[in-house]
Amino acid sequence: MLVVLATQCGAASEPTAPAQPAIDFARDLRPILESHCFECHGPAKQKADLRLDRRSAALRGGDGGPAIVPGRSGDSLLLHRITATSPDEVMPPKGDRLSEREVGVLRAWIDQGAVWPEDRPGAEAEEAHWAFQPLRETKIPAAGTGEDSRSAAPAQPIDAFIQEHLRKAGLTLSPEAPRQVLIRRLYLVLLGVHPTFEEVRAFEADPRSDAFERLVDQVLNDPRYGERWARHWLDVIRFAESNGFETNRERPTAWKFRDYIIAAFNEDLPYDRFIREQIAGDALGAPIATGFLVGGPVDIVGSPDPVLTAQQRADELDDMVNTTGTAFLGLTLGCARCHSHKFDPIEQREYYSLAAVFSGVRHGETPLPIPPEQADAKARADARVADLERRLARFIAPTAATTNAVPVSQQRPPVNARLNTEAFAPIEARRVRFSILASTGGEPCLDELEVYDGERNVALHTAGTRATASGTLPGYEIHKLEHLNDGKVGNSRSWISNTPGKGWVQLEFPGLTRIDRVVWSRDREGSFADRLPTDYRIEVATGEEQWTLVASSADRLPVAAQPGAKTTPAIVYRFDGLPVEEAELGRQWQAELERTRKELATLAKPPTTYAGQFREPGSTHRLHRGDPMQKREAVAPGTLALFRPLTMAADEPEQKRRLQLADWIASPENPLTARVLVNRVWQHHFGVGLVDTPNDFGRNGARPTHPELLDWLASDFMQHGWSIKGLQRRIVLSRAWRQSHAPRAEALAVDAADRLLWRFPPRRLEAEAIRDCVLEASGALVRTGGGPSFHLHEVDRENVYHYHPKERFGPDEFRRMIYAYKVRMEHDGIFGSFDCPDGSLVAPKRSISTTPLQALNLFNSTFVLDQAERLAARVSQEAGSDLPAQVQRAWELAFQRGPAADESKEAVLLAQSHGLPALARALLNANEFLFIP
């Protein structure tokens, strides 16, 4: 395919070339178009990119007119440019010029009418790419016939499709694998660890005809299933827990997204819901899930250079667009960033329509609902602070400023910049108004206004509560009305009135709500105490009028604060002249009050996770050649044109943009979504997908080896509720999956790569599974799931973070490797050599290399030496001092079987000569231990 940048310029008339034989687009022209990269760098200001593999694009042309005028090569801009001599106009500007023969072919093709493949009768079906077509209603092949019993009627449709291809190649499925192999394969594929020897024996002895089906159901309900399959998905979406780039700082809360993915697999969250939550979970009650959007690297180093800043932002959006395209659609959308896609029908404008969908997404932490246990603790702390303030009130000496009618002994402490609680009898309300009559100076400020119905904060905007105000100080991004009830505290997320010393804010609930207290603060982080409201009224109403006063500053002691003060005015308690016991009790209360206030400040902060921040975006423009400093026309948010294109309004609200995109991707009628997911699952069972380019279902990707099977699986997957566990169950119960992995000479001669699946393809485990299996065998594996990640690196936390692989490990590092802190641009010092992706790029499938470093790490590293010692100690403890019994137990722990006679003999000799740890180390390095059989 050819990409052209057409400019406004004239096209000189040229003499007609001599007649040539009829030019065939596919045979004669396509090789020329694909072997040259064409761009124009002409002096004209107006430019646009064109695609010549489709008639509509070439004839529409750019700002300079059509690239091709069928039948008139002399008037075609394309011919003018490829024959130009001026460096400003010549095309292509880089690389080899077209040869005289190639120019002649192009000229002849244009003069012959420029016939595209879609112009020929019947060519539409020929050119239609398989992945962009709707799922076909696939007829399950009839059962095979033949003398070989292995070609008897298949147990399920998967085998029917597999056998049909095998029959055409003169092959058959292999016999079913022994039960000991089947259970090990099942555990390693679905759980990523070996079964125990006892589990293998129990399965082998199970006489029931549905023993394997029962085992499959048991394994799919094992919580280790989510840990195993979450790792596959995290590879696909480039997840890591550091920023990458120069500083590579940590994301301490990103582990919550990893745990969300694990839970989603364990709970068998329907895949269409899984898609929607990762793109727009903040609108669907799953705010952690949008960690998908910001899971990639981000450059946090700011710059005064607007070009660099714009480039950084463009790169962030490109990461979101490209990852969404590859993960869910199997399309390389990033290839359309600088010009229309070279292979697939994706215009550059469509790329920027998708970028507009994500243009309101920023990297950063997002607040989460306060969990019940934290809310309970906060309520207890609130009550204790109020109680202590009441007890200590009598120790505050009267001042000349005290003119309150309430006796000093009954007055509450002065307002506090950190936190103030206004409790009152439960009352029904639709609106709450906080009126400020005076402050410590300047326009008053509130960082958060909370209203409680028992333990639930009903003021949050996420609960549907709407905030209004008398006015807001203009010109400050950190001081906005929307910050008043966003669940985030601190001066950087606050509201400031636009009137010195006064102002009001009002919260309106979705409906009538029973409330019992209001909690407010000026700066809950404790950095600022200026602009503190000192004289205020809190009123409630059920309708438009008839406000009822529920709390005010009238019963508080006055505050003597200096304008501009940055610390909370201290309340002075006096214990002089009091009886010793009374003074000591007062001091104890004061100390407890200070501790409880600090605890309360922590409890008041909602937990956060690295799942992005969302704001209403501005306009999005198509960027010429992807350059953020060369904006062209504005582009509205939308989807790709290849399937029921969806165009949104230019001012579509940010969240709705993502919701609509998610619905478009998750539609059962989208031709790509189910195919892509089914192919990914198949890949992790058989080592390679039915399409062996899992992130590229476009024209440059591979065609499926079994297209009918792929479509049948995709349709069946959706018909059964998008259940990934259901898909897993169907695959592992097939005869194709249960067959032996043993090679057969006649099959190897026909299909050495086993793409027809005449046997189960054995393969080495991934790095994480190898480490987990080593820990499982030694008995050191800590099965605690979820929670903050453990480190396999020592970290120097300076401006630029440095990570040094650990040399020594203990129980803190003995959890499953999915719970290890995933650092970009760095690998674990031992298992990183086993082809681990580092999260800098999407990794749809891992490469499988064999290197000396792998062997050295697995044989001589301190980790493996330690685990071999632990395995030897476990064997001695469980088998006693008898060496043959120790060998038997070692085989059971490593291979889930007993040793053969010759194996036992050789193992005893090795242990006698070099010790039991040496034997244990050899077993941990055996192919049988490291491979999926």
Side-chain angles (χ1 to χ4, degrees):
M1 194 227 318
L2 179 62
V3 176
V4 182
L5 288 176
T7 65
Q8 287 187 333
C9 59
S13 178
E14 297 182 7
T16 302
Q20 290 200 15
I23 302 298
D24 180 80
F25 187 96
R27 181 193 67 216
D28 303 318
L29 196 63
R30 192 181 294 280
I32 297 174
L33 302 184
E34 293 184 350
S35 62
H36 294 276
C37 180
F38 293 81
E39 289 182 342
C40 289
H41 295 269
K45 294 181 179 180
Q46 294 181 330
K47 303 179 182 179
D49 63 334
L50 301 178
R51 293 162 44 115
L52 299 185
D53 67 334
R54 287 292 178 270
R55 168 185 279 276
S56 59
L59 298 186
R60 181 177 66 249
D63 298 317
I68 290 172
V69 180
R72 292 155 48 193
S73 62
D75 294 330
S76 296
L77 181 60
L78 171 64
L79 260 295
H80 174 81
R81 285 309 182 94
I82 64 176
T83 58
T85 57
S86 169
D88 291 334
E89 294 188 349
V90 68
M91 184 173 69
K94 299 178 181 178
D96 296 334
R97 299 286 302 273
L98 270 70
S99 67
E100 289 185 10
R101 185 195 68 79
E102 290 173 326
V103 172
V105 169
L106 276 168
R107 179 181 287 113
W109 175 69
I110 295 172
D111 286 336
Q112 292 171 12
V115 178
W116 273 267
E118 60 262 41
D119 295 333
R120 301 194 311 272
E124 183 177 352
E126 176 187 329
E127 283 293 303
H129 184 58
W130 68 271
F132 304 149
Q133 307 309 307
L135 292 173
R136 294 171 293 177
E137 292 187 11
T138 307
K139 182 180 179 181
I140 299 172
T145 59
E147 296 180 0
D148 194 324
S149 61
R150 287 174 294 185
S151 63
Q156 58 145 295
I158 288 177
D159 297 318
F161 289 107
I162 297 294
Q163 286 183 316
E164 182 180 42
H165 283 260
L166 288 172
R167 279 196 300 273
K168 291 177 181 178
L171 299 174
T172 64
L173 292 171
S174 294
E176 184 165 309
R179 281 196 171 189
Q180 189 264 352
V181 171
L182 281 181
I183 185 173
R184 293 184 82 242
R185 180 185 299 169
L186 185 70
Y187 269 65
L188 290 172
V189 169
L190 291 184
L191 304 183
V193 291
H194 292 119
T196 65
F197 173 69
E198 292 72 23
E199 287 170 330
V200 173
R201 290 292 297 273
F203 175 55
E204 289 179 318
D206 192 336
R208 293 173 294 188
S209 59
D210 62 346
F212 188 62
E213 288 87 341
R214 291 172 179 267
L215 179 65
V216 168
D217 291 338
Q218 173 187 319
V219 168
L220 287 172
N221 288 321
D222 191 308
R224 292 174 292 180
Y225 163 78
E227 295 170 338
R228 169 67 163 163
W229 282 79
R231 180 68 267 162
H232 298 325
W233 184 251
L234 294 175
D235 280 2
V236 169
I237 62 172
R238 50 61 174 127
F239 170 80
E241 295 170 83
S242 69
N243 288 335
F245 289 94
E246 178 185 0
T247 58
N248 205 18
R249 293 185 182 178
E250 296 167 313
R251 298 175 179 174
T253 64
W255 59 267
K256 297 176 185 179
F257 175 74
R258 176 207 64 210
D259 285 0
Y260 160 82
I261 298 295
I262 292 173
F265 275 100
N266 276 333
E267 295 165 8
D268 198 21
L269 184 69
Y271 184 63
D272 56 343
R273 177 75 183 188
F274 189 55
I275 294 170
R276 290 184 173 97
E277 288 188 358
Q278 288 178 87
I279 295 176
D282 53 313
L284 301 171
I288 296 174
T290 56
F292 161 81
L293 299 174
V294 292
V298 62
D299 188 355
I300 64 171
V301 177
S303 169
D305 182 0
V307 177
L308 177 59
T309 300
Q311 187 64 54
Q312 288 173 324
R313 180 57 182 159
D315 290 343
E316 291 174 21
L317 291 174
D318 181 67
D319 172 70
M320 296 176 201
V321 171
N322 195 47
T323 304
T324 300
T326 54
F328 299 124
L329 300 172
L331 293 178
T332 54
L333 299 181
C335 294
R337 178 180 180 180
C338 300
H339 51 70
S340 292
H341 202 291
K342 189 175 181 182
F343 300 102
D344 298 330
I346 303 171
E347 302 289 340
Q348 187 191 25
R349 183 183 182 88
E350 295 174 63
Y351 170 91
Y352 286 99
S353 287
L354 287 168
V357 171
F358 299 116
S359 59
V361 182
R362 299 274 177 167
H363 277 260
E365 298 282 326
T366 191
L368 300 174
I370 293 179
E373 58 273 16
Q374 182 177 339
D376 291 344
K378 180 178 179 295
R380 290 193 296 270
D382 268 329
R384 186 56 180 159
V385 165
D387 180 59
L388 290 168
E389 288 177 343
R390 180 182 58 79
R391 292 169 183 264
L392 285 164
R394 59 193 172 97
F395 296 105
I396 302 174
T399 66
T402 303
T403 59
N404 201 306
V406 179
V408 171
S409 61
Q410 298 178 22
Q411 289 181 30
R412 294 188 293 156
V415 291
N416 188 293
R418 272 186 178 272
L419 200 67
N420 301 278
T421 300
E422 314 287 345
F424 42 83
I427 188 173
E428 298 283 337
R430 179 70 186 272
R431 295 176 176 82
V432 173
R433 184 168 64 195
F434 190 108
S435 300
I436 302 168
L437 308 176
S439 69
T440 55
E443 298 86 350
C445 175
L446 296 174
D447 73 339
E448 192 71 11
L449 184 60
E450 301 170 347
V451 182
Y452 283 89
D453 171 14
E455 305 307 325
R456 184 169 65 98
N457 179 11
V458 297
L460 290 170
H461 74 86
T462 54
T465 298
R466 185 171 66 93
T468 54
S470 56
T472 301
L473 188 67
Y476 293 90
E477 188 70 22
I478 64 173
H479 304 304
K480 290 186 172 183
L481 177 61
E482 64 196 60
H483 297 161
L484 184 72
N485 61 334
D486 63 355
K488 301 176 183 179
V489 299
N491 183 69
S492 62
R493 301 284 299 184
S494 62
W495 166 82
I496 294 183
S497 170
N498 64 347
T499 305
K502 66 175 73 173
W504 58 261
V505 290
Q506 180 178 301
L507 299 176
E508 182 176 354
F509 311 127
L512 205 59
T513 303
R514 188 174 178 82
I515 63 174
D516 56 26
R517 70 184 187 281
V518 171
V519 178
W520 63 277
S521 50
R522 186 273 176 250
D523 177 16
R524 213 162 293 189
E525 294 177 343
S527 300
F528 294 86
D530 60 334
R531 306 177 184 272
L532 176 65
T534 55
D535 188 3
Y536 59 88
R537 292 168 57 85
I538 299 176
E539 300 163 291
V540 302
T542 56
E544 297 294 336
E545 303 295 337
Q546 297 180 340
W547 290 92
T548 301
L549 181 70
V550 293
S552 74
S553 56
D555 62 345
R556 285 190 180 273
L557 290 166
V559 173
Q562 297 300 318
K566 292 224 172 174
T567 57
T568 302
I571 300 171
V572 178
Y573 297 105
R574 299 187 182 279
F575 307 105
D576 300 338
L578 298 174
V580 175
E581 292 183 359
E582 185 178 358
E584 180 60 26
L585 182 61
R587 292 187 181 97
Q588 290 177 5
W589 286 342
Q590 183 182 15
E592 184 182 355
L593 177 61
E594 292 173 358
R595 290 195 306 270
T596 309
R597 278 179 172 163
K598 289 180 180 179
E599 177 187 353
L600 188 56
T602 300
L603 291 171
K605 294 180 180 180
T608 64
T609 188
Y610 199 89
Q613 297 175 354
F614 308 101
R615 62 188 67 172
E616 293 305 319
S619 60
T620 298
H621 295 262
R622 183 177 64 83
L623 303 181
H624 180 57
R625 296 180 185 168
D627 183 351
M629 306 311 292
Q630 297 193 56
K631 293 183 178 180
R632 294 300 189 258
E633 72 278 5
V635 177
T639 61
L640 301 180
L642 62 86
F643 158 71
R644 295 193 176 181
L646 176 65
T647 301
M648 310 171 206
D651 60 351
E652 191 80 20
E654 189 280 326
Q655 193 178 76
K656 288 186 177 180
R657 299 181 183 201
R658 290 181 288 113
L659 274 170
Q660 291 182 68
L661 173 63
D663 288 341
W664 180 84
I665 292 174
S667 168
E669 297 180 1
N670 191 310
L672 290 163
T673 309
R675 282 176 172 142
V676 170
L677 188 279
V678 163
N679 189 66
R680 292 195 194 282
V681 173
W682 188 274
Q683 169 189 311
H684 292 299
H685 281 279
F686 294 99
V688 62
L690 296 169
V691 177
D692 66 8
T693 52
N695 267 18
D696 190 358
F697 272 45
R699 290 192 176 97
N700 203 38
R703 295 187 67 87
T705 55
H706 300 72
E708 300 85 2
L709 173 58
L710 179 63
D711 278 14
W712 184 88
L713 283 170
S715 297
D716 184 72
F717 173 56
M718 291 189 291
Q719 289 167 11
H720 288 84
W722 300 78
S723 167
I724 294 178
K725 282 189 177 181
L727 174 63
Q728 306 268 28
R729 192 177 193 276
R730 187 174 285 283
I731 292 174
V732 300
L733 291 180
S734 69
R735 290 180 58 205
W737 193 92
R738 301 198 322 265
Q739 63 184 324
S740 169
H741 69 267
R744 291 155 41 202
E746 81 283 3
L748 286 170
V750 176
D751 179 25
D754 193 25
R755 296 295 280 131
L756 297 177
L757 293 176
W758 50 267
R759 68 163 176 161
F760 183 87
R763 62 190 182 278
R764 192 184 68 198
L765 289 167
E766 307 91 340
E768 294 88 347
I770 293 175
R771 186 180 191 272
D772 294 346
C773 286
V774 169
L775 290 168
E776 182 78 62
S778 72
L781 182 66
V782 177
R783 292 199 176 185
T784 303
S789 303
F790 67 87
H791 272 284
L792 291 173
H793 296 84
E794 301 289 352
V795 187
D796 291 337
R797 295 178 176 87
E798 302 171 350
N799 180 49
V800 175
Y801 279 31
H802 299 282
Y803 301 87
H804 310 285
K806 287 184 176 180
E807 294 291 336
R808 300 291 175 184
F809 307 91
D812 289 344
E813 293 85 29
F814 287 168
R815 300 169 69 199
R816 295 198 71 174
M817 196 171 175
I818 191 171
Y819 297 116
Y821 212 103
K822 188 71 174 177
V823 181
R824 283 193 169 89
M825 305 189 301
E826 298 287 347
H827 283 304
D828 162 51
I830 301 164
F831 294 95
S833 62
F834 286 87
D835 309 300
C836 268
D838 74 351
S840 295
L841 298 170
V842 295
K845 60 180 180 180
R846 297 191 182 187
S847 57
I848 301 178
S849 64
T850 302
T851 68
L853 184 59
Q854 293 169 355
L856 288 170
N857 285 350
L858 206 55
F859 201 73
N860 293 327
S861 65
T862 55
F863 174 82
V864 173
L865 290 173
D866 175 62
Q867 294 305 310
E869 292 280 354
R870 291 172 183 270
L871 176 55
R874 180 182 181 185
V875 165
S876 297
Q877 181 180 5
E878 296 179 7
S881 58
D882 180 66
L883 194 51
Q886 292 177 342
V887 169
Q888 172 72 25
R889 187 56 181 155
W891 247 252
E892 292 172 357
L893 292 173
F895 308 138
Q896 297 77 55
R897 65 174 177 85
D902 58 335
E903 291 175 326
S904 181
K905 180 180 178 181
E906 293 295 331
V908 168
L909 291 175
L910 175 61
Q912 287 174 338
S913 301
H914 300 284
L916 196 56
L919 173 62
R921 185 161 47 138
L923 297 182
L924 297 179
N925 279 265
N927 279 348
E928 186 173 354
F929 185 83
L930 300 172
F931 272 68
I932 298 174

